[in-house]
Amino acid sequence: MRQLVELQIKSASIKDITNGYPLILKEAVESSNMAIEEGSLLRLVDKNGGYIATGYYGIQNKGIGWILTRKEKEQIDLKFFKKKFSEAAEKRANFYASEDTTAFRVFNGEGDGIGGLTIDFFNGFYMVSWYSEGIYSFREEVYKALNEVVNTRGIYEKLRFDTNGQYMEQDDYVSGEKGEFPLIVMENGMNYAVDLNDGAMTGIFLDQRNVRAALRDKYSEGKTVLNTFSYTGAFSVAAALGGSVGTTSVDLAKRSLPKTIEQFAVNGIDYESQDIKVMNVFDYFSYAARHNLKFDVVVLDPPSFARTKKMTFSTAKDYPKLLKDALKITNDGGMIIASTNNASFNMKKFKTFIEKAFKEMNTRYKIVEEHQLPEDFTVPHNFPEFNYLKVVFIQVIN
């Protein structure tokens, strides 16, 4: 039997929860010294014992669990998960019907009503990511519900709840057909090779789909494109397919080279006509400046935090410096695509980083396009802070 624990919520936090705030913050709870097991159901009440919501206990970086329902009588069982997955799949009916996109997010955690759980679709295969031990304790109901709601070719999973919220190494295969990897998926008619059983990453970040399409359709033709922190080169592929006269992909990870070659190959692009560098992006900026290399388009999509032997980089404090380095090697009239998935600051704050960098470089600019999460990455509508992705297309004015 699953433990049911009653927790009293401080009056200051009740309004947010009733308005749809999905996370149970530690500071929202009147102190309780009882030991609670991960996955326990939490009955949240006010100081008079009046019902507020039901959640589950699952420690993650910002809270102690997530709200599941605000209906007192609703049971958290197979029927509950089936209902949530059916609603989510229905919202994405146009993605399922798409002829030219076969990879998208089917279930986006708190945006679809169950925080700590995401489900992605890859050409018939499903990949389930678990962000706390608490939600993982519902594994049986989740997999049964998923198999009853959609046709799965096969299911893979990622466990992301070790002590630092990092990926836990394991065989990620769960059930159904075993995938032949690389699996080719389509996104707006572009091909991408993915592997669902090769560590934390699959080979593509699905939340950047609209940004890649914009780069291909509007900003690549006849242009030189530099893709920094390029991972498997997905932006470089989009640029090449959009008519770029030459892409340069730069990433420190050794495996970025074969992975980027693979992404070009599955799109019929001769990788030898493109430049792929395995090196620290900041070293590349210095190298490019020394050699007077300039680009028409520079893509900046760094990790939120990175540490190398020589330096640590954090988007929250180092983004202006990154932009200034990029500016030095961007042509007049060129474009910088600045992106971050750091959830600790919002779009308004991100734009202050842009303002700061351009001011210090004494350069004028114009924002021509902005993106946040695409429509399959549903976020709780009253709480935009869950919309972590921020992408700004910045035109450099000469």
Side-chain angles (χ1 to χ4, degrees):
M1 271 297 284
R2 202 174 281 280
Q3 193 183 13
L4 177 67
V5 178
E6 192 165 285
L7 288 183
Q8 188 186 322
I9 298 296
K10 292 178 183 165
S11 44
S13 300
I14 291 174
K15 189 169 171 237
D16 272 353
I17 292 176
T18 38
N19 278 348
Y21 191 74
L23 192 55
I24 306 168
L25 298 168
K26 205 179 238 147
E27 58 268 29
V29 179
E30 289 291 356
S31 64
S32 125
N33 300 324
M34 76 180 93
I36 306 176
E37 273 173 41
E38 289 270 336
S40 298
L41 287 174
L42 303 175
R43 179 184 160 86
L44 307 183
V45 297
D46 61 23
K47 63 176 189 292
N48 303 319
Y51 176 83
I52 302 166
T54 305
Y56 75 84
Y57 186 79
I59 295 287
Q60 47 86 277
N61 55 359
K62 284 195 187 134
I64 58 161
W66 296 92
I67 305 289
L68 293 171
T69 181
R70 291 168 183 78
K71 297 177 191 151
E72 192 169 2
K73 297 271 184 282
E74 187 163 36
Q75 297 295 309
I76 308 305
D77 53 13
L78 179 65
K79 187 177 152 206
F80 170 83
F81 288 104
K82 279 177 71 174
K83 180 175 135 240
K84 292 290 185 201
F85 295 161
S86 298
E87 287 166 359
E90 221 162 278
K91 270 190 223 162
R92 288 137 176 110
N94 57 334
F95 284 99
Y96 279 107
S98 169
E99 301 272 299
D100 68 357
T101 294
T102 59
F104 53 91
R105 177 145 294 182
V106 173
F107 194 90
N108 195 42
E110 66 280 358
D112 284 301
I114 305 171
L117 174 76
T118 65
I119 305 175
D120 294 316
F121 176 87
F122 292 97
N123 199 3
F125 289 90
Y126 284 79
M127 193 185 80
V128 181
S129 296
W130 306 88
Y131 290 88
S132 78
E133 220 176 302
I135 190 63
Y136 194 62
S137 72
F138 292 91
R139 185 172 183 263
E140 266 176 54
E141 295 96 318
V142 165
Y143 285 133
K144 195 166 191 312
L146 187 62
N147 276 311
E148 288 184 24
V149 169
V150 292
N151 289 321
T152 61
R153 267 175 81 179
I155 297 177
Y156 284 79
E157 68 181 8
K158 304 285 176 201
L159 309 189
R160 297 180 177 276
F161 50 82
D162 88 343
T163 44
N164 305 315
Q166 299 294 317
Y167 167 78
M168 291 154 74
E169 283 293 340
Q170 59 154 13
D171 178 2
D172 290 334
Y173 169 75
V174 177
S175 64
E177 186 188 320
K178 284 198 169 183
E180 290 277 326
F181 300 121
L183 175 74
I184 308 303
V185 297
M186 272 170 86
E187 178 191 274
N188 293 313
M190 299 182 265
N191 291 330
Y192 288 106
V194 297
D195 190 331
L196 307 186
N197 203 3
D198 183 28
M201 311 292 209
T202 60
I204 189 166
F205 293 114
L206 297 178
D207 54 5
Q208 294 279 15
R209 181 179 60 249
N210 294 342
V211 183
R212 283 188 283 269
L215 173 62
R216 176 191 65 186
D217 299 342
K218 293 187 251 180
Y219 303 106
S220 297
E221 197 171 348
K223 302 283 199 288
T224 54
V225 177
L226 170 64
N227 179 13
T228 63
F229 309 97
S230 58
Y231 181 37
T232 67
F235 280 115
S236 307
V237 165
L241 292 173
S244 162
V245 291
T247 68
T248 302
S249 308
V250 184
D251 198 289
L252 188 57
K254 298 250 187 304
R255 60 188 299 196
S256 67
L257 178 66
K259 291 284 185 189
T260 303
I261 289 172
E262 179 177 69
Q263 299 296 24
F264 280 130
V266 299
N267 285 283
I269 299 161
D270 174 16
Y271 71 88
E272 288 181 336
S273 66
Q274 313 295 323
D275 213 358
I276 306 168
K277 301 261 189 238
V278 177
M279 66 191 290
N280 181 315
V281 167
F282 292 95
D283 292 343
Y284 183 79
F285 283 140
S286 312
Y287 164 87
R290 277 200 314 276
H291 291 80
N292 294 320
L293 294 178
K294 291 223 167 185
F295 297 88
D296 300 316
V297 180
V298 178
V299 179
L300 299 175
D301 185 21
S304 290
F305 187 82
R307 180 177 274 129
T308 66
K309 285 186 186 121
K310 282 193 279 189
M311 65 181 293
T312 56
F313 171 84
S314 138
T315 45
K317 69 176 200 321
D318 299 320
Y319 215 105
K321 182 195 180 310
L322 179 65
L323 278 165
K324 289 187 333 194
D325 284 343
L327 255 175
K328 290 172 193 161
I329 60 169
T330 305
N331 281 322
D332 282 349
M335 180 79 63
I336 294 176
I337 300 174
S339 172
T340 178
N341 61 2
N342 188 329
S344 71
F345 53 85
N346 62 13
M347 181 65 104
K348 194 173 167 191
K349 176 81 170 159
F350 187 43
K351 286 181 180 170
T352 66
F353 298 162
I354 296 167
E355 177 67 30
K356 181 178 194 284
F358 276 80
K359 201 171 180 179
E360 288 174 10
M361 293 295 283
N362 203 9
T363 306
R364 287 165 55 229
Y365 69 96
K366 183 170 121 201
I367 290 176
V368 293
E369 206 167 305
E370 288 175 34
H371 290 263
Q372 289 209 255
L373 287 171
E375 55 278 34
D376 48 328
F377 282 70
T378 319
V379 286
H381 49 223
N382 297 338
F383 299 95
E385 63 264 38
F386 290 96
N387 197 336
Y388 60 82
L389 184 69
K390 294 159 283 288
V391 186
V392 181
F393 286 64
I394 313 161
Q395 177 128 42
V396 180
I397 298 175
N398 40 348

